[in-house]
Amino acid sequence: MMIVSSLDELRAARRLLDGTVGLVPTMGYLHEGHLSLVRLAREECDRVVVSIFVNPTQFGANEDLSKYPRDLERDLKLIDPLGVDLVWNPTPEIMYPPGYQTWVEVKTLTHPLEGAMRPEHFKGVTTVVAKLFNAIQPHKAYFGQKDAQQAAVIRRMVRDLNFPIEMVVCPTVREADGLAMSSRNKYLEGDDRRAATVLFRALSAAKSAHEGGERDAEKLRATMKGVLAAEPKATPQYVSCADYDTLEELEMVQGKSLLSMAVLIGRTRLIDNFVLE
Ligand code: PAF
């Protein structure tokens, strides 16, 4: 496994990779969700590249950039046995050289849900992912369904900017009690960890209602809100039942749809979603 930081090293290492290249972009502090992306990339591509970069531009001014968990040594130990060919761990100065002023921005799709809560977030995500795509030139790129809006926004960017890259979105990996895996779960201690399962329980209740024939989106949103309201540690930021592609809130669920939510558990902000087919 080659581990590089500078752009020159990356370009030299990339030239050595023949065949199809799969990229798994990450911000490190890897968990089983990331590893499932790496395993699928390993199965589907000749070569696998993992990027590890805590991207400062996708964090808001009052978000947890300085506290975001980092442990490169641990990350490398986790991915080494999976057959990763190349790891790129650039510094912020490499990604954003002094005087930086170029941004990639997807418009309408970034306005609701996470975008409404975190106004600059997706501009940071699309900019860094476009830079990763330019530098690594992968054939396929792997993302998790847990960040459903991120996947939709990057898919739009790939189409709009004609990146010759296939996007692969992999199912959310969950703990035994349903909690979606996330690097931020590290912040959940004691009773907050138990309370955090409320997102899964709320989504499951709405999914059961849908399976039982409920198509009124407002009733599905009310079902999720009802479960969240019964958990004193949960403060919902949004609860949504939206069209899967446009992310616009629905009145009636007809085609593929997305149930999603962001909830504060104590001071930890969690997101989760289910897709209704
Ligand atoms: O999902 C993430 O970990 C990040 O948003 C990504 C895609 C690596 C960009 O920094």
Side-chain angles (χ1 to χ4, degrees), residues 25-27 34 53 55 58 125 128-129 132 143 147 150 154:
T26 81
M27 297 210 298
H34 298 110
F53 177 61
N55 175 33
Q58 67 188 78
V125 170
V128 82
V129 171
L132 294 170
F143 297 89
D147 295 300
Q150 169 173 281
I154 296 173

Side-chain angles (χ1 to χ4, degrees), residues 98-145:
Y100 191 86
Q101 48 184 300
T102 305
W103 301 96
V104 176
E105 197 171 359
V106 172
K107 290 286 183 188
T108 319
L109 262 183
T110 62
H111 294 164
L113 308 176
E114 286 300 289
M117 298 281 129
R118 309 176 70 193
E120 295 292 296
H121 171 69
F122 286 117
K123 189 168 120 185
V125 170
T126 42
T127 299
V128 82
V129 171
K131 289 169 72 72
L132 294 170
F133 285 176
N134 282 337
I136 297 166
Q137 307 264 308
H139 298 87
K140 290 188 170 196
Y142 294 79
F143 297 89
Q145 172 61 32

Side-chain angles (χ1 to χ4, degrees), residues 138-165:
H139 298 87
K140 290 188 170 196
Y142 294 79
F143 297 89
Q145 172 61 32
K146 175 168 165 287
D147 295 300
Q149 188 175 14
Q150 169 173 281
V153 167
I154 296 173
R155 188 181 296 113
R156 185 72 258 165
M157 177 190 79
V158 165
R159 285 196 203 122
D160 290 354
L161 296 185
N162 308 115
F163 278 111
I165 295 171

Side-chain angles (χ1 to χ4, degrees), residues 38-258:
V38 173
R39 285 193 199 98
L40 186 63
R42 181 66 285 165
E43 269 172 51
E44 294 188 347
C45 304
D46 298 319
R47 303 292 183 175
V48 178
V49 181
V50 174
S51 62
I52 300 179
F53 177 61
V54 181
N55 175 33
T57 65
Q58 67 188 78
F59 288 77
N62 53 358
E63 292 182 13
D64 53 359
L65 172 62
S66 63
K67 281 196 278 153
Y68 197 83
R70 293 162 169 89
D71 192 340
L72 183 62
E73 210 175 306
R74 171 186 171 278
D75 290 343
L76 297 176
K77 273 195 198 132
L78 285 172
I79 53 177
D80 195 25
L82 304 185
V84 171
D85 296 280
L86 172 61
V87 178
W88 188 28
N89 176 224
T91 60
E93 293 71 30
I94 292 171
M95 296 309 265
Y96 300 103
Y100 191 86
Q101 48 184 300
T102 305
W103 301 96
V104 176
E105 197 171 359
V106 172
K107 290 286 183 188
T108 319
L109 262 183
T110 62
H111 294 164
L113 308 176
E114 286 300 289
M117 298 281 129
R118 309 176 70 193
E120 295 292 296
H121 171 69
F122 286 117
K123 189 168 120 185
V125 170
T126 42
T127 299
V128 82
V129 171
K131 289 169 72 72
L132 294 170
F133 285 176
N134 282 337
I136 297 166
Q137 307 264 308
H139 298 87
K140 290 188 170 196
Y142 294 79
F143 297 89
Q145 172 61 32
K146 175 168 165 287
D147 295 300
Q149 188 175 14
Q150 169 173 281
V153 167
I154 296 173
R155 188 181 296 113
R156 185 72 258 165
M157 177 190 79
V158 165
R159 285 196 203 122
D160 290 354
L161 296 185
N162 308 115
F163 278 111
I165 295 171
E166 183 188 332
M167 268 198 61
V168 183
V169 180
C170 303
T172 303
V173 178
R174 296 180 181 280
E175 304 283 358
D177 60 6
L179 177 66
M181 291 205 185
S182 162
S183 307
R184 290 192 169 91
N185 292 354
K186 177 184 154 56
Y187 305 136
L188 296 167
E189 281 171 2
D191 212 28
D192 284 356
R193 172 62 188 82
R194 178 207 53 75
T197 60
V198 75
L199 284 84
F200 179 72
R201 287 186 277 119
L203 290 163
S204 302
K207 186 164 184 250
S208 300
H210 178 259
E211 282 165 0
E214 184 58 77
R215 293 293 179 268
D216 183 331
E218 193 49 42
K219 289 202 175 134
L220 295 177
R221 285 186 285 267
T223 300
M224 294 187 276
K225 285 177 190 167
V227 176
L228 293 171
E231 172 49 67
K233 284 183 161 279
T235 311
Q237 291 195 329
Y238 64 80
V239 172
S240 163
C241 175
D243 179 85
Y244 182 80
D245 292 311
T246 65
L247 303 180
E248 281 166 16
E249 290 302 316
L250 293 169
E251 283 181 21
M252 297 301 289
V253 175
Q254 277 151 350
K256 196 170 175 183
S257 311
L258 186 73

